[in-house]
Amino acid sequence: MSKSETTAAAETLPPLTHIPAHIAIIMDGNGRWAKARGLNRAAGHRAGTENLRRVLSAVVEMGVPILTIYAFSTENWERPRSEVRVLLGLIERVLDTETEELARNGVRIRHIGRISGLPTRVVNKIRQAEAMTRYNERLVLNVAFNYGGRAEIVDAIRAIINEGLDPDEITEDTVSAHLTTGGLPDPDLIIRTGGDQRLSNFMIWQAAYAELYITPIFWPDFDREELHKAILAFGHRQRRFGRVESDEA
Ligand code: FPP
């Protein structure tokens, strides 16, 4: 499809009536995308990174206020060293080359996950990007890097114990506030590309009532139109949060 045809197709998409306040994405399928093209996995991750730029601009344009992306899990350290190096190199490059433009576009960058264990150079760049964008309000972009949902809950429990809180006073809100997403609403919509039907240790506390949208499309191919489809599907979901409709009793 040519570029003008793609634009025309995008223009005919049905309007979005329900924009989620928080979308979280498990960007899966870079490796399979590359394999299908006879390329190596690094090429898949590079294509995935390029796609991130496109999806980010669509998300800003659609008026989504919070986006969380799963870029590197606490389990990803077990991948071959060369692949870990590629992923660390990519986040460094993204922070080097994209932070200024994101800052100009009103994006606030936040890291979620464990900072310990990351190379100092990466930590410094993350901290710099967070500081540079801290007053931005158009979009909060949580970058989950060295992130694991279980590790995050363990860290929250440690922090709660260290603060000496009375066990009887601990509520769900206490736990939420001590997660790395503390202060932000839970995701309304979790999108997983690449077709696997699991959460893979991603936001396992925050996902309690999130709507899940799983698509077989590999992450590098998940474009604006696919995002539009996901948000449209979200708009048709009935969210009951464990309750029934008042006239169903
Ligand atoms: C999963 O695909 C993807 C990842 C482990 C990394 C996601 C990273 C990016 C999209 C680029 C880097 C992002 C930043 C913020 C720099 P996979 O490798 O598991 O694919 P497969 O399931 O097909 O093997």
Side-chain angles (χ1 to χ4, degrees):
M1 209 189 264
S2 74
K3 188 145 193 296
S4 58
E5 281 169 321
T6 314
T7 312
E11 276 162 9
T12 58
L13 292 169
L16 297 172
T17 49
H18 293 80
I19 299 288
H22 184 172
I23 298 181
I25 310 184
I26 302 175
M27 309 180 290
D28 198 16
N30 292 346
R32 282 166 286 164
W33 180 92
K35 192 171 178 199
R37 286 161 180 77
L39 302 171
N40 60 24
R41 297 180 57 82
H45 292 312
R46 282 195 296 274
T49 307
E50 270 307 303
N51 192 46
L52 189 52
R53 285 173 119 243
R54 292 189 284 267
V55 169
L56 264 176
S57 77
V59 162
V60 170
E61 209 177 286
M62 288 172 185
V64 175
I66 308 171
L67 175 71
T68 301
I69 50 165
Y70 201 11
F72 190 88
S73 76
T74 44
E75 290 71 40
N76 285 158
W77 294 107
E78 277 149 52
R79 292 193 174 197
R81 266 177 50 176
S82 54
E83 183 166 346
V84 170
R85 217 174 302 127
V86 165
L87 291 167
L88 288 169
L90 281 174
I91 187 149
E92 261 198 68
R93 217 180 61 205
V94 165
L95 291 168
D96 280 343
T97 60
E98 308 296 328
T99 301
E100 267 181 40
E101 193 181 337
L102 292 172
R104 268 199 307 277
N105 283 298
V107 177
R108 176 175 182 184
I109 301 173
R110 284 175 92 246
H111 168 258
I112 65 165
R114 280 192 174 150
I115 206 78
S116 62
L118 290 173
T120 313
R121 260 204 354 234
V122 173
V123 174
N124 291 341
K125 287 181 182 177
I126 290 173
R127 292 303 182 223
Q128 208 178 348
E130 286 181 327
M132 199 169 169
T133 60
R134 68 183 175 280
Y135 298 118
N136 284 346
E137 288 183 344
R138 193 165 177 201
L139 171 74
V140 174
L141 172 65
N142 293 315
V143 181
F145 204 93
N146 196 22
Y147 176 90
R150 288 185 172 186
E152 184 184 36
I153 294 170
V154 168
D155 291 347
I157 294 170
R158 286 183 182 155
I160 291 169
I161 293 173
N162 280 333
E163 285 169 25
L165 291 180
D166 175 353
D168 292 332
E169 308 262 289
I170 296 169
T171 63
E172 292 184 8
D173 287 344
T174 317
V175 177
S176 293
H178 285 80
L179 299 173
T180 47
T181 49
L184 295 175
D186 289 341
D188 300 296
L189 171 64
I190 297 183
I191 298 171
R192 180 170 188 142
T193 61
D196 285 336
Q197 314 220 3
R198 54 179 168 261
L199 283 175
S200 300
N201 204 14
F202 183 52
M203 303 192 99
I204 50 177
W205 174 278
Q206 300 91 329
Y209 285 104
E211 294 298 323
L212 305 180
Y213 180 90
I214 297 167
T215 167
I217 307 276
F218 296 141
W219 171 249
D221 288 332
F222 185 85
D223 57 12
R224 157 192 296 273
E225 207 172 324
E226 294 298 330
L227 176 68
H228 191 105
K229 267 197 233 168
I231 299 179
L232 205 57
F234 168 79
H236 291 120
R237 301 279 177 91
Q238 267 208 347
R239 304 186 77 197
R240 290 187 294 275
F241 301 94
R243 300 185 288 265
V244 291
E245 299 300 324
S246 53
D247 59 353
E248 278 178 33

